[in-house]
Structures are given as structure tokens and as C-alpha cells.
Amino acid sequence: MIRLGSLALLVLCIGGCTVSPEQQVSRKPPSSAYGGVRPMPCYSYFPSSVYFAVDSSTLTRSAQNALREQAGVIACRGDRPDIVIEGHADERGTREYNLALGLRRAAAVRDYLIALGVAPDHVRIVSYGKERPAVSHSDEEAWSQNRRAVSLLVKNAP
């Protein structure tokens, strides 16, 4: 049986992340530019979606790790792209509630990226609530994939 600490160390080594284990556990992002993460090659994978629990806009540890990777990719780009963050919800609840929840989710992602050093004037948020599901089935598996925030890199306007 692998100990939790060993597993966390393995994940850090595999991911090539320079964030210390103490920073990994912290709920607050590091204050240095781009979280002290090494800018990744611009061809690196950009993890565009993060997922949330039911009725929540709290970032999970997995979401925080994905956002650190996003910030690293953004840091390496010379053109400093604009980022649009879309907030989404599952189909349960009213349209108004889900629009507000999607907005809170997008804002949580925006705030975390800004805390990692992404320029605030390059980040916009929008909520689609339950209007644009990733999966159209009505079961827990589909709902869990629809409770998300999606970050999109867009070209700066000239």
C-alpha cells in the first residue's frame, strides 16, 4: 500500500512541478509571479477545465494544480493571451441559480489565476449556468462533468 505522502511526492516528480509539498497542501496560492512555477514550454498541454462539487465554487486541490499549470503555460507565452473563463453548472436547479453558481465558479478560477500572477486585465469571466452542458445525460456521471469552469485562450485584439 502506497502512503499518501509517497503518492503526493510521486505526482510532484512526474508532473515536473517545482512547487514544494508545503505549497501543494496550502489552500492559498503562492504570492510570487505565476506561483513560483517554472514557465512550461508553450506547446505544453493546457488543462482548460476544472471541476467542482455539487453546489460549490470552492477549488479542489486537483483544480488548483490544473490552474498552476495554466498559469505556467500563460507565463511562457510572449503574446500574453487574453483568457475567457466560462462557468457552468449541471441541469439541476433554476436557471437563475445556475447562472449565479457558474459566475461564482468562473470568479474563483479568475481570482486564483490572478493570485498566481496572471494579469487581471487579461482575464474575463462569463457564466452559462446549465445552458451549455458538456454531457447531455441526466445522471451523476454527466452532472459531475457539467459542474466546471473552462478557461479559453483567445488572441489579443490588435
Side-chain angles (χ1 to χ4, degrees):
M1 183 174 183
I2 298 177
R3 294 181 142 187
L4 185 59
S6 298
L7 182 59
L9 182 59
L10 179 63
V11 169
L12 286 174
C13 291
I14 291 172
C17 182
T18 62
V19 178
S20 71
E22 294 78 25
Q23 288 174 314
Q24 281 297 93
V25 176
S26 173
R27 295 187 56 80
K28 193 173 183 181
S31 59
S32 63
Y34 297 101
V37 296
R38 174 176 41 102
M40 303 178 74
C42 291
Y43 53 83
S44 291
Y45 169 71
F46 185 75
S48 62
S49 296
V50 295
Y51 300 92
F52 295 87
V54 176
D55 296 326
S56 175
S57 59
T58 301
L59 295 171
T60 64
R61 183 169 292 150
S62 174
Q64 291 173 4
N65 290 338
L67 294 174
R68 282 189 197 102
E69 194 170 338
Q70 280 185 19
V73 171
I74 293 164
C76 82
R77 293 181 56 120
D79 62 349
R80 296 293 190 257
D82 287 335
I83 302 142
V84 176
I85 303 166
E86 301 176 343
H88 299 272
D90 62 38
E91 67 185 49
R92 299 170 293 178
T94 65
R95 181 177 187 276
E96 293 77 20
Y97 175 81
N98 284 322
L99 283 170
L101 180 58
L103 195 60
R104 288 193 306 274
R105 288 173 174 166
V109 169
R110 176 202 58 209
D111 295 347
Y112 199 80
L113 287 173
I114 289 170
L116 291 172
V118 175
D121 57 333
H122 284 270
V123 183
R124 292 184 298 132
I125 61 173
V126 63
S127 176
Y128 292 111
K130 61 183 178 179
E131 304 304 318
R132 294 187 179 182
V135 179
S136 60
H137 301 292
S138 294
D139 57 31
E140 184 53 45
E141 185 177 338
W143 295 329
S144 69
Q145 293 176 53
N146 291 331
R147 295 188 301 261
R148 69 197 191 284
V150 180
S151 299
L152 304 170
L153 298 178
V154 295
K155 187 86 170 143
N156 289 339

